[in-house]
Amino acid sequence: RTQVMGVVNVTPDSFSDGGLFFDAAAAIAHGKALAAAGADLLDVGGESTRPGAEAVSEADELARVVPVIRGLRGVGAEISVDTTKPAVAAAALEAGATLLNDVTGLRESDELARLAASHGARLCVMHMQGTPRTMQHDPTYDDVVGEVLAGLRTSVERAIAAGLPRERVVVDPGIGFGKTFDHNLTLLKHLGRLRELQVPILVGTSRKAFLGALTGGKPPRERDVATAATVAVVAGMGTADIVRVHAVAEARDAAAVGDAVRCSR
């Protein structure tokens, strides 16, 4: 079964729901609601990675995510923390997280892989061209699928070299992270290539700009139907093990349909 990861943004500036759950109590209540809707995982983030986002200090990120992770322990969903900072990752693991979600794919340091290894946790490494501030400034590739695959292979190898077993590594092609409209569609069509890495695949298409373009310019919070369509596609193709979404109930239904078609005789 394709697993569903619900997004818990403890930020004032995320592209879709920034500010809605900035208060810890609101974020905890939202995470519990996502778990009740069927989320298998909850991804807690305290720093926006939308295009053009500014960096957040370590102290601010710690203050945002640690109370929320503590408040979500025991809700019945695995807790992930979306961070690139070792100190935040370490505190999140101590608070109850069991998955580190690194949008840089260990590009600058293998510290998150070593932390995951020492805590018996998992690590998701994502592909991103550039940084959140620069990634959508004319991203270019000669072969987007081949280059994303090669970049993720390097990230996986770096994680393993840092002591993390391959079975605890997850990869994310980084839809919308340094990719154009066409790059995103090409990656979704050819996601099966990532199976060469022999690790689970996480895909995050939720409410992203290319879905707005496909649906006549709808704003982020009106893109959940389009998001569910991508979930049904990747579940039906068997090219994603986890889908990261804002609207969990809709994604669960879409994944159920895709999984049923894929598994039918």
Side-chain angles (χ1 to χ4, degrees):
R1 180 175 68 79
T2 304
Q3 292 192 309
V4 176
M5 170 186 276
V7 177
V8 182
N9 284 324
V10 196
T11 60
D13 58 344
S14 290
F15 81 98
S16 170
D17 55 6
L20 289 180
F21 312 110
F22 191 40
D23 175 75
I28 292 167
H30 182 57
K32 289 180 176 178
L34 294 179
D40 300 287
L41 307 96
L42 297 172
D43 193 35
V44 179
E47 179 177 37
S48 174
T49 52
R50 63 174 172 77
E54 296 292 336
V56 171
S57 73
E58 181 181 286
D60 283 347
E61 193 175 343
L62 282 166
R64 292 175 184 182
V65 302
V66 171
V68 175
I69 292 170
R70 287 179 180 151
L72 291 174
R73 293 178 70 167
V75 298
E78 180 179 1
I79 300 175
S80 164
V81 63
D82 184 353
T83 188
T84 62
K85 298 180 179 68
V88 175
L93 291 167
E94 294 296 331
T98 57
L99 172 64
L100 304 180
N101 189 4
D102 177 16
V103 298
T104 71
L106 303 179
R107 189 167 55 198
E108 297 178 2
S109 168
D110 64 2
E111 180 63 22
L112 264 63
R114 289 190 276 120
L115 280 168
S118 65
H119 285 76
R122 295 195 291 166
L123 171 70
C124 180
V125 289
M126 194 190 78
H127 179 276
M128 174 171 57
Q129 188 178 94
T131 69
R133 292 185 65 183
T134 66
M135 63 188 181
Q136 292 306 108
H137 296 173
D138 191 30
T140 57
Y141 300 86
D142 293 323
D143 171 10
V144 65
V145 178
E147 289 174 50
V148 168
L149 176 61
L152 289 174
R153 179 175 285 111
T154 297
S155 296
V156 172
E157 291 172 351
R158 190 167 191 181
I160 293 171
L164 189 64
R166 180 180 291 271
E167 59 267 23
R168 298 216 303 267
V169 182
V170 179
V171 295
D172 179 346
I175 300 295
F177 283 80
K179 281 90 176 175
T180 65
F181 177 91
D182 288 333
H183 293 151
N184 292 325
L185 293 179
T186 300
L187 282 168
L188 287 173
K189 183 174 182 177
H190 298 284
L191 269 179
R193 288 278 306 279
L194 301 188
R195 290 294 183 201
E196 295 178 25
L197 301 174
Q198 299 181 322
V199 297
I201 300 169
L202 183 152
V203 177
T205 58
S206 190
R207 300 180 177 177
K208 290 189 175 174
F210 82 104
L211 296 179
L214 285 170
T215 55
K218 287 184 177 179
R221 299 193 71 194
E222 295 180 19
R223 298 172 189 166
D224 289 336
V225 173
T227 299
T230 65
V231 169
V233 167
V234 298
M237 294 169 63
T239 52
D241 301 284
I242 305 168
V243 289
R244 184 181 185 274
V245 300
H246 297 83
V248 166
E250 293 86 340
R252 280 295 299 263
D253 288 350
V257 173
D259 287 340
V261 171
R262 172 171 47 85
C263 297
S264 66
R265 302 182 72 181

